[in-house]
């Protein structure tokens, strides 16, 4: 052992093996595949079945789906809350000053937050949601439950 080390324990550097690359390796022979076994489709890899996504605007109070764009005097059809209000805005944040992320541009605090206002910085809050259901079929007036029942019964035919 050399004396330039702090501790006198054997370590990986004390082995007598040569260090560095071992040199060129021998080419491996190609492996034989079982007959009839296909590793990959000729068309290429399959894409995963991902759920579709859509951008929607929902009421801040009741969660009702809203159509964009909406007028300044519009109200929610379900709960009646004003849609051109701070709680529907993309800049609304309860932890920010005056509950708005655009507060340096605001001349004064807007209160209350759930009634109609004339804020020039208003932009409706939209979210991206996944479409988990299948769209209803247009023919025959069948509902989603009957199409699911029909698909279940088709499994046993």
């Amino acid at each position: 052992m050399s004396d330039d080390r702090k501790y006198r324990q054997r370590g990986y550097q004390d082995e007598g093996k040569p260090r560095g690359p071992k040199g060129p390796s021998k080419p491996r022979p190609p492996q034989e595949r079982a007959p009839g076994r296909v590793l990959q489709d000729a068309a290429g890899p399959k894409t995963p079945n991902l759920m579709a996504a859509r951008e929607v605007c929902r009421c801040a109070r009741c969660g009702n789906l809203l159509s964009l764009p909406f007028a300044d005097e519009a109200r929610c059809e379900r709960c009646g809350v004003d849609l051109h209000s701070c709680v529907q805005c993309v800049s609304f944040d309860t932890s920010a000053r005056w509950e708005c992320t655009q507060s340096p541009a605001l001349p004064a605090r807007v209160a209350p937050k759930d009634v109609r206002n004339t804020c020039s910085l208003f932009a409706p809050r939209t979210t991206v949601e996944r479409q988990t259901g299948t769209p209803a079929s247009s023919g025959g007036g069948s509902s989603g439950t009957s199409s699911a029942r029909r698909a279940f019964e088709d499994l046993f035919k």
Side-chain angles (χ1 to χ4, degrees):
M1 277 196 270
S2 64
D3 292 329
D4 60 335
R5 294 182 40 198
K6 184 175 181 180
Y7 301 105
R8 302 211 182 263
Q9 299 170 348
R10 274 187 69 78
Y12 70 95
Q13 294 180 346
D14 294 333
E15 296 178 6
K17 295 181 181 177
R19 297 175 57 188
K22 297 178 183 178
S25 61
K26 297 177 184 176
R28 295 178 9 184
Q31 296 180 352
E32 296 293 327
R33 290 192 310 221
R37 182 175 175 218
V38 178
L39 295 179
Q40 187 176 8
D41 189 13
K46 294 182 180 178
T47 58
N49 294 333
L50 299 176
M51 291 185 282
R54 61 184 177 150
E55 188 172 358
V56 297
C57 181
R58 293 194 176 268
C59 176
R61 182 177 288 171
C62 67
N64 187 25
L65 190 63
L66 305 172
S67 61
L68 287 175
F70 47 79
D72 290 347
E73 62 276 349
R75 301 183 78 118
C76 178
E77 296 171 357
R78 187 184 296 170
C79 66
V81 72
D82 292 317
L83 296 180
H84 194 282
S85 61
C86 290
V87 293
Q88 291 292 131
C89 183
V90 71
S91 300
F92 180 71
D93 183 10
T94 57
S95 64
R97 180 177 181 237
W98 292 343
E99 295 181 338
C100 183
T101 57
Q102 302 289 331
S103 62
L106 287 178
R109 183 175 186 267
V110 178
K113 299 291 185 180
D114 59 347
V115 296
R116 183 179 306 128
N117 59 40
T118 57
C119 181
S120 61
L121 302 173
F122 176 80
R125 178 182 314 208
T126 58
T127 56
V128 176
E129 294 181 354
R130 298 199 194 279
Q131 292 178 339
T132 56
T134 58
S137 61
S138 60
S142 63
S143 65
T145 57
S146 64
S147 64
R149 166 78 62 188
R150 189 173 350 104
F152 177 73
E153 290 173 352
D154 288 344
L155 290 173
F156 300 104
K157 288 185 179 180

